[in-house]
Amino acid sequence: MILARPRTARSLRPSELLIPTPAGLWCPPADIYIDPVRPVDRALITHGHSDHARAGHGAVLATRETLAIMALRYGEGFTGERQEAVIGETVRIGAVDFTFVPAGHVLGSAQIVVESGGLRIVVSGDYKRERDPTCAGFEPVRCDIFITEATFGLPVFRHPPAHGEVAKLLESVRVFPERTHIVGAYSLGKAQRVMALIREAGYERPIHVHGAMEKLTDFYLSEGAVLGEIRKVVAAERKSLGGEIVICPPSAIQDLWARKFPDPVTSFASGWMRIRARARQKGVELPLIVSDHADWDDLQATIRETQAREIWVTHGEAEALVHWCGTVGLKAKPLHLVGYGDEGETESSGADASLEAADATAV
């Protein structure tokens, strides 16, 4: 079991408490990995996106929601054993204390606080600071070392308020009532957040979804997300959906599937839509800058709030954020972990594409 490890009282240096390895971040005193990219005996998982939550580990410790999401995506046999991490409660493994704290990324997402010998390291996983009606908000934690993502770690990435982007979508629906608005959004987290924001804006008509999103959307509904009436797209009915909003995986907006709708307006909800060339390249008519990651300003604000003396930067624009840390007097380094690139923001992760293909039903 995850908890069955002997204790040790020896103080540890940072490089002894967490070590980057080809399998992921390894905590030797507890002999456990955080978000490993290869099957390991024991794993702590920050959230359910496929680049962080993989199947095949011997035992997994994660929040209740993340465990449920992994079971939905990989099947009940995704791990040999599972254990629920309760937000805010500390679990001791060997001589190391682990605490899960909300990350604000998607439902069930958490930062992992790692403590031993008076040293505290916080592993952020993926996180955002903007309010999300479908998950608990980010909580900064003071620490000695903060391990942060940097998906949007460049000054060009300053995300506008998401509700304003959704207002653009609804205005287009009003102006073009005969056209189907097809919104590409990643199937875990982004799609449900967009649905919830549409509802908060007062839109009451049914929202139609691609079959690949049905299981996860049903799970969000069962967890209390206010998404209103959701209808799965049926192939024979596509031609009758003029004026409706349809949400699908990003890959589907360029598919033959999307061309069966009446005069479709193609849209894509992603932080990458800040780069207009990417929108044009993907044939996106209505780009929506809606991100589930911290932007440049929020990355800086978070680093300051943690009061960490040292910053380790993982996937994304690590070099730019490391450089900024140096300009404000903080010690920082890139970790160069391989295998991360959140399915909720990357162009398309291979793991996510496989999951969407497996989850998709005939539509």
Side-chain angles (χ1 to χ4, degrees), residues 219-261:
F219 177 67
Y220 267 71
L221 286 166
S222 73
E223 291 292 310
V226 181
L227 308 182
E229 183 181 355
I230 306 297
R231 294 183 186 176
K232 176 185 165 183
V233 172
V234 177
E237 298 176 356
R238 280 179 287 186
K239 291 183 179 179
S240 66
L241 294 181
E244 304 293 345
I245 295 175
V246 176
I247 300 181
C248 66
S251 58
I253 63 176
Q254 293 178 309
D255 240 6
L256 179 62
W257 178 85
R259 300 173 201 162
K260 300 294 184 180
F261 295 91

Side-chain angles (χ1 to χ4, degrees), residues 104-164:
H105 181 55
V106 297
L107 183 62
S109 63
Q111 305 168 81
I112 299 177
V113 183
V114 184
E115 295 184 85
S116 184
L119 176 67
R120 176 184 287 176
I121 301 177
V122 172
V123 182
S124 74
D126 290 330
Y127 66 98
K128 70 173 178 291
R129 303 297 300 266
E130 189 178 13
R131 173 185 169 273
D132 183 338
T134 67
C135 70
F138 179 89
E139 296 181 11
V141 179
R142 292 185 180 181
C143 55
D144 301 297
I145 297 170
F146 183 51
I147 302 180
T148 180
E149 61 135 318
T151 302
F152 291 110
L154 288 172
V156 68
F157 292 114
R158 289 182 164 93
H159 306 321
H163 65 81

Side-chain angles (χ1 to χ4, degrees), residues 61-65 67 83-89 91 99-100:
L61 175 64
T63 64
R64 176 185 61 81
E65 297 91 342
L67 292 172
Q83 180 175 327
E84 178 185 335
V86 178
I87 291 291
E89 293 188 6
V91 175
T99 309
F100 285 62

